[in-house]
Amino acid sequence: MNPAAHSLLRSALRARRREFTRLTGWSLAQAVPALLSGRLVARAVFRPEPPPDRGTQ
């Protein structure tokens, strides 16, 4: 990002810190269920194979 755009973005976010914080919190609240359900599905689908049973020795 070029320095002028970075400076403009920082000043805009600094002026609206409360709104930015609320938006960030809302985004996290929306993302967490999708992340957790995706991890659960991935864990169920990509479960490693159990080691072969070698019997008793």
Side-chain angles (χ1 to χ4, degrees), residues 18-46:
R18 181 176 176 179
E19 291 87 355
F20 177 68
T21 302
R22 289 183 70 196
L23 179 63
T24 302
W26 181 255
S27 297
L28 285 173
Q30 293 292 311
V32 167
L35 175 68
L36 292 177
S37 63
R39 287 185 57 98
L40 286 173
V41 169
R43 204 169 158 197
V45 171
F46 298 112

Side-chain angles (χ1 to χ4, degrees), residues 4-25:
H6 192 261
S7 176
L8 177 65
L9 180 61
R10 268 196 340 217
S11 67
L13 292 177
R14 195 175 301 128
R16 295 181 177 91
R17 188 174 300 239
R18 181 176 176 179
E19 291 87 355
F20 177 68
T21 302
R22 289 183 70 196
L23 179 63
T24 302

